């Protein structure tokens, strides 16, 4: 099982079974993993803004976290405005942002961007998987973060080599901590 497959299995084990996708070349192993699991509903979107808007709408209608698949920093940038709306609405969205292979980043290719920087500008939680063995646990942490506080934006950056390398066993995301609710007495006071 490669890193991408471990991520899809982690998502499914954790109750995330919808992914709105606008993939590029660096996400092909993740696309293959999504395609090999018929219980994962993958919906191809023609523009990243539609992808993030659909994930936000899905959360608002169902109360369940949906995933997005976005291509590198430029694609994530195209999704930014609807992620802003999702953040303000308290929607739970799990973004999986592809990136170049870790050993290729030094070449500063035309699509290379500050993936962590663009993510941190809108996401409550951001992590870049450092190895294919980390992808499943990083994915579980991202799902937990997306469910926290009633819904947040969580972004997992998936470099291509972490998607195609040997992955670890799937992980089930821990439940989000319960929301603090004031008591009736506190409200009356």
């Amino acid at each position: 099982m490669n890193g991408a497959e471990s991520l899809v299995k982690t998502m499914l084990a954790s109750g995330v079974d919808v992914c709105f996708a606008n993939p590029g070349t660096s996400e092909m192993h993740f696309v293959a993993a999504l395609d090999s699991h018929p219980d994962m509903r993958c919906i191809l979107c023609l523009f990243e803004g539609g992808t993030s808007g659909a994930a936000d709408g899905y959360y608002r209608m169902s109360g369940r976290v949906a995933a997005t698949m976005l291509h590198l920093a430029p694609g994530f940038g195209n999704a930014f405005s609807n992620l802003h709306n999702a953040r303000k609405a308290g929607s739970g969205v799990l973004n999986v942002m592809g990136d170049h292979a870790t050993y290729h980043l030094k070449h500063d290719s035309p699509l290379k961007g500050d993936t962590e920087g663009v993510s941190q500008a809108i996401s409550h939680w951001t992590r870049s998987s450092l190895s294919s063995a980390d992808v499943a646990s990083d994915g579980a942490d991202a799902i937990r973060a997306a469910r926290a506080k009633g819904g947040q934006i969580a972004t997992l950056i998936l470099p291509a080599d972490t998607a195609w390398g040997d992955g670890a066993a799937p992980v089930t995301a821990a439940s989000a901590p319960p929301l603090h609710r004031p008591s009736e007495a506190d409200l009356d006071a």
Side-chain angles (χ1 to χ4, degrees):
M1 169 174 26
N2 64 27
E5 291 166 343
S6 72
L7 178 57
V8 172
K9 289 181 179 186
T10 293
M11 291 165 69
L12 288 168
S14 303
V16 177
D17 59 4
V18 174
C19 181
F20 298 96
N22 185 276
T25 54
S26 61
E27 296 82 35
M28 288 299 103
H29 285 80
F30 189 55
V31 170
L34 290 167
D35 193 42
S36 67
H37 291 84
D39 42 346
M40 174 62 77
R41 185 168 180 214
C42 184
I43 301 154
L44 182 63
C45 301
L46 298 178
F47 175 64
E48 295 91 346
T51 301
S52 55
D56 177 24
Y58 180 87
Y59 183 85
R60 291 187 200 205
M61 290 187 293
S62 70
R64 297 180 58 222
V65 170
T68 70
M69 180 196 331
L70 301 164
H71 183 53
L72 307 169
F76 192 91
N78 287 338
F80 200 92
S81 62
N82 282 326
L83 291 174
H84 168 82
N85 295 340
R87 181 183 173 106
K88 293 299 182 179
S91 295
V93 176
L94 165 62
N95 299 301
V96 178
M97 181 187 352
D99 203 356
H100 296 291
T102 56
Y103 55 82
H104 191 252
L105 292 171
K106 65 184 176 186
H107 299 295
D108 198 29
S109 69
L111 288 178
K112 182 182 181 281
D114 182 3
T115 53
E116 289 192 18
V118 72
S119 172
Q120 289 170 347
I122 198 67
S123 301
H124 296 92
W125 182 98
T126 297
R127 182 177 298 160
S128 185
S129 285
L130 300 176
S131 77
S132 53
D134 297 332
V135 172
S137 61
D138 290 345
D141 289 347
I143 292 165
R144 186 170 198 270
R147 291 178 175 152
K149 299 182 181 176
Q152 297 189 127
I153 308 301
T155 302
L156 177 62
I157 300 165
L158 190 62
D161 55 323
T162 68
W164 69 57
D166 291 336
V171 177
T172 301
S175 299
L179 294 174
H180 172 72
R181 303 275 188 211
S183 68
E184 289 294 323
D186 289 340
L187 292 173
D188 289 342

